[in-house]
Amino acid sequence: MTRELYFTHETSSMKKLAIIATKGTLDWGYPPFILASTAAALGYDVQVFFTFYGLQLLKKDLNLQVTSLGNPGMPMPMPMPVLLQALPGMQGMMTSMMKKKMADKGVADLAELRELCQEADVKFIACQMTVDLFEMETKDFIDGVEYAGAAMFFEFAGESDICLFI
């Protein structure tokens, strides 16, 4: 008499997306939140690891700027020499122009996108080492943020279907 053993290995059918967010400017704030919220809406389990300047995206006060300096691909309304872009006040003007353009086109602001991610159960992880390095106060960050090191995030990232560095 032969006995057949059947083993079932329970695997999650949920796909996983891991995002590492390293930039803290207005223009670089959109990709992690848009990708995370879209993936969550498609049924992905999503975690975003915020490190270095990306931690700015978790602050309660999202006072982010945009600059064309170091970003030659940024479309300008008219050709503008680099020296002119470096003048005092230009960064503020460019930030205002970008916010207006996004509002005119119906693009949600970063706070709304961030909230949408949290409502969709996207897990936000702040890099504890970077928080300590820059002597940041956790009271300045939004609620719902977890604080951990890279090793903890790697557990999830190592099993993810997609891992993005932004």
Side-chain angles (χ1 to χ4, degrees):
M1 181 162 137
T2 354
R3 253 198 265 191
E4 291 183 37
L5 298 175
Y6 294 94
F7 292 96
T8 59
H9 179 67
E10 192 175 310
T11 58
S12 172
S13 61
M14 183 178 268
K15 290 186 174 186
K16 295 180 179 181
L17 170 63
I19 299 174
I20 302 164
T22 63
K23 307 285 190 280
T25 59
L26 180 65
D27 51 334
W28 279 99
Y30 277 88
F33 292 133
I34 290 171
L35 293 168
S37 61
T38 301
L42 293 172
Y44 281 71
D45 183 12
V46 184
Q47 289 188 16
V48 184
F49 185 72
F50 297 86
T51 187
F52 279 81
Y53 312 118
L55 285 171
Q56 299 300 318
L57 303 175
L58 295 177
K59 288 195 168 179
K60 289 176 185 170
D61 180 21
L62 278 176
N63 187 18
L64 304 177
Q65 300 280 311
V66 66
T67 181
S68 62
L69 294 175
N71 189 1
M74 183 177 181
M76 301 297 285
M78 66 190 97
M80 196 176 296
V82 173
L83 187 58
L84 186 58
Q85 295 173 37
L87 289 174
M90 289 301 287
Q91 184 169 311
M93 184 179 83
M94 288 181 193
T95 299
S96 294
M97 288 171 53
M98 176 71 89
K99 285 181 177 179
K100 182 178 179 343
K101 183 173 201 102
M102 291 177 139
D104 290 348
K105 298 291 183 180
V107 177
D109 70 22
L110 280 179
E112 290 173 302
L113 285 172
R114 184 173 68 182
E115 217 173 274
L116 183 63
C117 286
Q118 287 187 301
E119 289 171 6
D121 293 325
V122 171
K123 189 177 196 179
F124 291 163
I125 303 163
C127 176
Q128 185 66 58
M129 185 224 43
T130 307
V131 170
D132 295 342
L133 176 70
F134 293 134
E135 299 176 355
M136 296 175 146
E137 300 280 335
T138 57
K139 67 177 175 53
D140 294 333
F141 294 109
I142 58 172
D143 293 334
V145 173
E146 291 186 30
Y147 298 86
M152 194 283 293
F153 177 70
F154 281 148
E155 288 180 34
F156 180 84
E159 297 173 356
S160 70
D161 297 283
I162 303 169
C163 190
L164 303 173
F165 180 84
I166 300 174

